[in-house]
Amino acid sequence: MPVHPRTTADVLVVGGGIIGLVTAWRAAQRGLRTVLADPDPGGGAAQVAAGMLAAVTELHYGEETLLGLNLASARRYPDFVAELEEASGQDTGYRACGTLAVALDADDRAHLRELHALQRRCGLDSVWLTGRDCRRLEPMLAPGVRGGLRVDGDHQIDPRRLASALLVACERAGVAFHRAWATRLTVDGNRATGALLGPPGTPPGESPAGASPEPAGVSHEVDADQVVLAAGSLSGRLAGVPDEILPPVRPVKGQVLRLAVPAPRAPFLSRTVRAVVRGSQVYLVPRANGELVVGATSEELGWDTTVTAGGVYELLRDAHELVPGITELPLTETRAGLRPGSPDNAPLLGPTELPGLLLATGHYRNGVLLTPVTGDALADALVSGELPEEARPFTPHRFSPARQEASV
Ligand code: GLY
């Protein structure tokens, strides 16, 4: 038997994106000895995401239950940011700037009217504006804008700064970091007991085609009373997790651009501006520091994170239709990330049917928005074994094979 260095902990968090980091921070604050495994904590989707906190403008039919969780998290944001900035000494780039969703043609306008009706049925604050009113609010908008929705409660945060602040807050709260992939969950009898960590490099499941995702080597072992799998789109690939427990998450690629608004200029846009153009979402998120984030494609292409000419072209074409002046701005960055999509577009939170294993994954389009409520829900589940009321609809049990057979 090989002998690895071992660490013991109350909680092992697998994955150091913003969801893993907030879970680790909240667990440590509750007095749990917490270890987090990730080769690059704070990396991943947080480095790509635009950071819209868009509970109202990203409302979709059939997602009213998710709306409740999204709103609960949005309400928590101001206090969460104040606490995190205090704990980390870092600015998170949170801006309570609101959002304007606009229509460019008659079809978009009909679509936006439908969204407005749904928002009103759900009791949400959203105001219909004429095209002229939209341009009065945002003079850089195209003259052809046909109308829009002003949503003063949908804000933004800079996910890169959020990740950085969470990392520092975790360190200050005593979270121990292992900069390595977890390559296998360890299970003893019917209980998760920790994980094997590999050498830096190969992510879980990145084995040659057809081979089972076995660890290439083990450099460390963590024994933990509870393990939280929070590895974003990779969460379904951790070896050792029984098949019926593996979370049904898949990667959904998003390409995102960053532009720069030169410093001495008046604000280019004062709030997030978004539209659906020919069926594709496009949004422009203006940061206080002059960065303008333009997103995002939505592509079901597996693990591909290539930035393509077509993706960049479509984003720039659609953003240019909305705000023609963007073509003058320097293009500073193009990048693609992977959203962790789940079968019902909602996250999987809390205990699984394998004692000792919890999930915090599948946040899909809402990872940044759901960060505060996820941290609180997972901390409750780790301490008490129970999810708080608001998070119960998102239990992983809803996808368990037994439950699904019973409902057929
Ligand atoms: N929530 C924005 C996106 O997923 O593109």
Side-chain angles (χ1 to χ4, degrees):
M1 278 290 275
V3 178
H4 326 293
R6 291 174 96 102
T7 301
T8 57
D10 297 323
V11 176
L12 167 64
V13 179
V14 173
I18 51 178
I19 294 298
L21 288 168
V22 77
T23 300
W25 181 41
R26 291 306 196 195
Q29 285 180 316
R30 301 275 186 111
L32 299 169
R33 286 175 307 137
T34 303
V35 168
L36 185 147
D38 191 305
D40 179 24
Q47 296 300 313
V48 182
M52 288 178 300
L53 308 174
V56 178
T57 42
E58 287 208 356
L59 176 63
H60 292 269
Y61 284 102
E63 294 185 1
E64 288 81 356
T65 309
L66 177 58
L67 172 67
L69 193 70
N70 286 344
L71 289 173
S73 207
R75 277 193 294 274
R76 233 164 270 195
Y77 242 104
D79 288 346
F80 171 77
V81 162
E83 184 186 352
L84 179 59
E85 292 189 346
E86 170 79 25
S88 65
Q90 294 199 3
D91 174 24
T92 60
Y94 177 69
R95 277 188 79 193
C97 60
T99 295
L100 182 64
V102 302
L104 288 168
D105 61 24
D107 284 351
D108 296 347
R109 195 165 181 276
H111 169 87
L112 216 51
R113 283 280 192 198
E114 287 293 320
L115 176 63
H116 190 216
L118 177 62
Q119 289 166 341
R120 291 173 67 105
R121 281 200 297 282
C122 294
L124 302 171
D125 283 337
S126 150
V127 180
W128 182 263
L129 300 181
T130 63
R132 183 177 296 183
D133 287 341
C134 291
R135 282 191 302 281
R136 209 170 279 138
L137 277 184
E138 294 296 342
M140 297 303 283
L141 279 174
V145 164
R146 303 280 289 267
L149 289 175
R150 199 187 80 209
V151 177
D152 290 339
D154 275 2
H155 303 313
Q156 61 147 306
I157 193 165
D158 183 337
R160 293 177 177 177
R161 290 177 183 220
L162 172 62
S164 168
L166 281 169
L167 192 53
V168 173
C170 279
E171 282 166 351
R172 290 184 177 177
V175 174
F177 285 87
H178 282 276
R179 285 174 162 75
W181 292 102
T183 51
R184 174 172 282 279
L185 184 78
T186 51
V187 177
D188 189 1
N190 186 32
R191 191 173 177 90
T193 55
L196 304 179
L197 310 187
T202 318
E206 286 284 300
S207 48
S212 68
E214 290 295 330
V218 175
S219 64
H220 206 101
E221 185 163 353
V222 180
D223 294 324
D225 294 341
Q226 301 187 82
V227 178
V228 181
L229 181 49
S233 56
L234 288 166
S235 302
R237 307 188 91 187
L238 182 61
V241 180
D243 284 350
E244 65 281 11
I245 309 282
L246 267 181
V249 290
R250 67 185 196 287
V252 182
K253 177 179 172 182
Q255 300 189 48
V256 173
L257 317 177
R258 283 175 163 79
L259 294 84
V261 179
R265 248 164 106 148
F268 191 79
L269 295 172
S270 60
R271 74 203 70 222
T272 296
V273 169
R274 55 185 306 152
V276 177
V277 183
R278 287 176 288 271
S280 300
Q281 296 274 353
V282 64
Y283 45 79
L284 292 85
V285 183
R287 304 252 191 264
N289 65 3
E291 183 177 79
L292 181 66
V293 185
V294 178
T297 64
S298 188
E299 303 166 78
E300 302 271 357
L301 289 175
W303 303 100
D304 173 50
T305 51
T306 315
V307 174
T308 63
V312 174
Y313 166 72
E314 281 169 27
L315 288 172
L316 285 177
R317 181 195 61 197
D318 295 349
H320 173 255
E321 277 190 39
L322 207 57
V323 180
I326 61 150
T327 48
E328 289 175 24
L329 302 178
L331 175 63
T332 54
E333 194 182 321
T334 59
R335 202 146 165 184
L338 298 173
R339 306 173 183 89
S342 76
D344 60 5
N345 300 335
L348 290 85
L349 304 176
T352 65
E353 282 163 16
L354 179 66
L357 178 66
L358 296 85
L359 300 182
T361 187
H363 292 71
Y364 191 34
R365 296 184 306 263
N366 297 307
V368 181
L369 172 61
L370 289 173
T371 296
V373 83
T374 299
D376 293 345
L378 265 290
D380 277 7
L382 287 165
V383 170
S384 71
E386 299 280 341
L387 282 169
E389 187 70 37
E390 66 205 351
R392 285 191 196 151
F394 306 97
T395 166
H397 301 321
R398 72 191 189 277
F399 296 121
S400 79
R403 174 83 59 100
Q404 294 196 321
E405 271 162 32
S407 67
V408 172

